Amino acid sequence: MTTYFSTLVQHLNRNPVFRFLSSVKLAVPLMLLMITTVAWGTIVESKYNAEMAKIVVYDSTWFSIMLIGLWINIFSAALSRFPWKIHQLGFVTTHAGMLTLLVGGMITGKYGIDGTLAVTEGQAEDKVALSRLVIGVAPEGSANYQTVEVKRVLTEERDFSGLNQVFKHLLTVSSYIPFAEFSSTYESNAQSANVGLQFNLKSQFFNVSEFLHSSLNPRKQMGPATLELVTGDTSRMPDRKPSKQESKPAVKKPVTTSSVDIMDMKSGKVLQTVSVGKLSQGVRVGNVLVKVKTVFRNASVSANKLVDSPEPGNNPALELSVIEDGVEHREVLFARFPDFSMSKNPDRKLKFAYKAAGTDPAEAPPTGGEGGSNLVRFTVDPKNPEQALVELFKEGKPVLHQLARAGEVVQTPWMGMQLTIGSIVPGAEPKDSVKAIEAPQRENLPTGAMQIKLAGSDEQVWLPEGEVRTIQSSGRSYSVYFGRKIHRLPFRIELEKFSKKDYPGTETAMSFESDIKVTGDTATRTISMNEPMYRDGFTVYQSSYQINPNGPATSIFSINRDPGRPLTYLGSLILCLGIVTFVLMRSSYYRRWKGAP
């Protein structure tokens, strides 16, 4: 057998391609390229973050090709010396160690797990969000998504032919934006009789902008009033008044216990009424987890942030964390403004209403419309869309009639709120707008967006990263998801308590740790910054945290599975032994022992 391999190696050594693959002429440029690449990755990581460095360098195809080329060069160099002599022991051992190291690293890169897991005190979680992206399709109502991995890159031009073969019966992917700013806009269509109007409502409590559409969403309840958009003649001042149904005041009872109504987004049906105390521990409705993050007794906006104002007042509010399909979004509820919402996504499954103890709804600003008495009506003439007639009704009585153009401010009689006409769009038709943006330095990377084309149709739909969209095909509804791949752990981690120790006189963390319990275990374990937990091949690190002054804390764990680690350790050991052997065999002691001059 040895003779056969010796003959084979002799034939290979006469081959110019093999001689080049095993030569120093290839090894030196590869080593220099590797050093330059790692230095570049370090610069990218310091400028942005580790995730950007993985996208640009370490997860790139050319980096994998470079590693494979280096492995082939090292293997060929070792093979070219076969049959090996005793004086080549250090050389062969060193090369074997490097080969084993590279194999371990490539196995980890291909099959390893590296993601984050957020767990709130009193809750248990097993869903790890990975950095890899997937697009998935499932029949509406089903949680079993058929997914295909999408490589995260920084270029918008790419080939989706392989992915499109999987979902061609439903959709095809037409374009991709790595970092996107997503918004809904309305375009003017001369063939449409619809009208759109954008406005801004500002007070000491909030500053929000909304868009009314004469057919899609002609009515919106915001704060103390109902706002509606109608079309008609604005050449004369109308004498029309709210209907008796609009003028009739609501009969309400004082609230004695703080609670939140959790309702179905489409039907408005109340699914559960949960106390704020119980909601602080987290409540699961279907596959949606709802938790209270912050409780405000007198909410106010300061520096574009919602804070608890120390000044006298009564504006109760809640900040919620809503985790739906593994994606977390923030919602703010005002007890006195029940229809205020931060969610712009119509595909959300739930909506909420906050009832704060100690408040009397009868004293809250009336909501207009049915059972209310404050109404703002915009009337736009499609033939003369340069201006809108703004009508204000307070307690059923007209208090203001004013023609306003885009950019004009209308002062309302309610709590000093100002109404500004932003734009008037004749023939308004909805269209998703996606704009490519640059990644900010030393911050979390922005999310991307993918555009799909429905099968058998010219309709194009944008999928923001982390969102779910519902599409129709052959009379059936399907949910389409584009976002981070979710990996379920073989165990669940329950956070019993989070602890943080600050440097004296500061709020900077000196150390922090989590007392956790793994499902199936009775003992409590502690995971700290330098003491990870090892379980079922996974390593759980304490990486970060979120502190809620008025609610439970959240621990953020880094979850890592490194299947190539044994080979990496073995390769490191072999490499060290090879270096030691190489040095000893070159020393004068070894030469004297062998009797060499």
Side-chain angles (χ1 to χ4, degrees):
M1 182 65 70
T2 303
T3 304
Y4 172 78
F5 276 112
S6 299
T7 304
L8 178 62
V9 171
Q10 290 176 8
H11 283 292
L12 288 174
N13 284 330
R14 288 195 292 269
N15 186 295
V17 175
F18 181 79
R19 287 203 305 270
F20 175 74
L21 291 176
S22 61
S23 67
V24 178
K25 294 179 180 180
L26 177 61
V28 172
L30 280 175
M31 290 293 183
L32 291 176
L33 184 59
M34 178 68 71
I35 294 172
T36 304
T37 302
V38 172
W40 181 32
T42 304
I43 294 172
V44 172
E45 183 172 353
S46 63
K47 185 177 180 180
Y48 295 96
N49 54 26
E51 188 175 4
M52 177 66 90
K54 288 183 64 177
I55 296 172
V56 175
V57 181
Y58 305 118
D59 282 349
S60 62
T61 302
W62 59 267
F63 186 76
S64 299
I65 293 174
M66 183 174 62
L67 289 178
I68 294 172
L70 184 62
W71 194 94
I72 292 174
N73 175 253
I74 296 172
F75 176 77
S76 300
L79 182 62
S80 65
R81 270 74 170 177
F82 188 85
W84 300 304
K85 307 297 188 297
I86 188 64
H87 68 273
Q88 296 173 323
L89 180 60
F91 170 85
V92 174
T93 306
T94 303
H95 282 59
M98 289 190 291
L99 291 174
T100 308
L101 268 173
L102 288 173
V103 171
M106 286 188 282
I107 290 175
T108 296
K110 180 67 176 178
Y111 302 105
I113 297 293
D114 188 11
T116 58
L117 175 72
V119 188
T120 302
E121 285 181 332
Q123 298 297 311
E125 290 290 347
D126 63 351
K127 293 181 180 179
V128 180
L130 308 180
S131 59
R132 306 170 192 169
L133 294 177
V134 295
I135 181 171
V137 177
E140 190 175 25
S142 173
N144 298 320
Y145 281 82
Q146 180 187 6
T147 61
V148 176
E149 190 165 323
V150 180
K151 189 174 181 61
R152 186 188 291 269
V153 296
L154 299 183
T155 57
E156 298 183 21
E157 299 295 331
R158 56 187 300 184
D159 181 19
F160 293 106
S161 57
L163 188 152
N164 289 336
Q165 285 296 318
V166 180
F167 300 119
K168 62 182 179 181
H169 61 293
L170 293 175
L171 57 90
T172 55
V173 178
S174 53
S175 61
Y176 164 77
I177 297 178
F179 306 125
E181 185 177 82
F182 191 89
S183 61
S184 294
T185 61
Y186 288 83
E187 292 187 347
S188 181
N189 186 343
Q191 298 179 351
S192 173
N194 293 318
V195 173
L197 183 141
Q198 187 270 331
F199 65 90
N200 175 266
L201 193 62
K202 182 179 180 181
S203 77
Q204 60 176 326
F205 300 118
F206 52 78
N207 184 0
V208 293
S209 296
E210 289 290 345
F211 193 94
L212 294 178
H213 190 271
S214 56
S215 62
L216 296 177
N217 59 322
R219 198 175 180 88
K220 179 73 176 180
Q221 188 171 328
M222 291 183 62
T226 297
L227 299 100
E228 69 175 11
L229 173 64
V230 298
T231 57
D233 185 9
T234 59
S235 61
R236 62 182 180 86
M237 293 293 186
D239 54 2
R240 134 183 89 173
K241 297 181 180 179
S243 65
K244 292 182 179 179
Q245 189 180 34
E246 290 175 335
S247 304
K248 184 179 178 180
V251 178
K252 301 178 181 179
K253 297 180 180 180
V255 178
T256 57
T257 304
S258 295
S259 62
V260 173
D261 286 342
I262 303 178
M263 300 170 285
D264 181 76
M265 177 64 79
K266 295 181 179 179
S267 66
K269 179 182 177 181
V270 177
L271 304 177
Q272 291 188 38
T273 298
V274 187
S275 68
V276 173
K278 183 178 179 181
L279 204 59
S280 297
Q281 302 301 317
V283 171
R284 189 174 291 277
V285 182
N287 66 340
V288 181
L289 180 63
V290 184
K291 294 175 282 188
V292 172
K293 295 182 68 176
T294 314
V295 179
F296 301 94
R297 293 178 176 84
N298 183 27
S300 178
V301 177
S302 176
N304 292 325
K305 293 183 179 179
L306 198 64
V307 298
D308 230 337
S309 175
E311 299 179 2
N314 187 17
N315 184 37
L318 288 180
E319 181 183 8
L320 299 183
S321 168
V322 183
I323 303 177
E324 184 176 321
D325 297 320
V327 180
E328 181 178 12
H329 67 272
R330 173 175 172 261
E331 182 64 281
V332 175
L333 311 179
F334 292 91
R336 295 186 177 275
F337 311 122
D339 281 340
F340 173 84
S341 175
M342 295 185 64
S343 176
K344 308 297 182 185
N345 186 353
D347 295 328
R348 299 287 186 214
K349 298 179 181 178
L350 303 176
K351 62 180 179 179
F352 312 91
Y354 178 34
K355 301 174 183 177
T359 60
D360 187 351
E363 297 176 357
T367 58
E370 296 183 9
S373 59
N374 289 353
L375 177 68
V376 179
R377 179 184 291 126
F378 303 98
T379 304
V380 177
D381 187 347
K383 298 179 181 179
N384 183 26
E386 290 81 14
Q387 60 186 4
L389 176 63
V390 183
E391 304 171 72
L392 273 63
F393 299 90
K394 185 175 182 180
E395 298 178 358
K397 299 179 181 180
V399 294
L400 179 68
H401 297 276
Q402 179 178 330
L403 287 171
R405 294 178 177 270
E408 291 190 24
V409 179
V410 177
Q411 186 69 44
T412 75
W414 304 305
M415 303 170 64
M417 284 190 292
Q418 292 182 337
L419 181 67
T420 304
I421 304 295
S423 61
I424 304 172
V425 184
E429 291 298 328
K431 182 180 180 180
D432 290 337
S433 175
V434 178
K435 181 176 68 174
I437 59 176
E438 296 290 335
Q441 297 184 12
R442 289 183 288 275
E443 293 183 16
N444 292 332
L445 297 182
T447 56
M450 180 172 284
Q451 189 179 45
I452 61 174
K453 181 181 178 181
L454 305 186
S457 171
D458 293 331
E459 183 180 359
Q460 304 265 12
V461 178
W462 277 103
L463 297 176
E465 185 179 325
E467 299 280 348
V468 177
R469 289 284 187 265
T470 301
I471 64 172
Q472 302 290 329
S473 179
S474 302
R476 296 188 62 186
S477 297
Y478 294 87
S479 297
V480 183
Y481 168 75
F482 169 61
R484 292 179 180 268
K485 185 177 182 179
I486 302 298
H487 178 84
R488 284 187 174 273
L489 295 173
F491 53 87
R492 291 170 66 86
I493 295 178
E494 180 183 355
L495 179 61
E496 294 186 338
K497 183 182 178 182
F498 173 79
S499 306
K500 180 171 77 85
K501 184 177 180 181
D502 296 333
Y503 286 100
T506 71
E507 295 184 358
T508 303
M510 182 168 61
S511 64
F512 47 91
E513 62 184 26
S514 300
D515 295 333
I516 63 102
K517 184 179 290 184
V518 178
T519 51
D521 292 353
T522 56
T524 298
R525 304 188 184 188
T526 300
I527 301 177
S528 63
M529 298 168 63
N530 299 315
E531 296 181 5
M533 178 188 75
Y534 302 95
R535 176 71 179 243
D536 297 342
F538 291 86
T539 306
V540 183
Y541 301 91
Q542 176 79 63
S543 61
S544 186
Y545 60 88
Q546 292 177 352
I547 296 295
N548 179 8
N550 301 306
T554 298
S555 275
I556 299 177
F557 300 104
S558 177
I559 310 296
N560 178 265
R561 185 182 69 185
D562 190 351
R565 183 178 297 172
L567 285 178
T568 304
Y569 288 162
L570 178 62
S572 300
L573 178 61
I574 295 173
L575 181 61
C576 291
L577 290 176
I579 293 173
V580 171
T581 303
F582 189 86
V583 172
L584 287 177
M585 295 183 70
R586 293 280 181 173
S587 66
S588 58
Y589 300 102
Y590 178 78
R591 291 198 298 270
R592 285 198 298 269
W593 179 68
K594 294 289 292 182

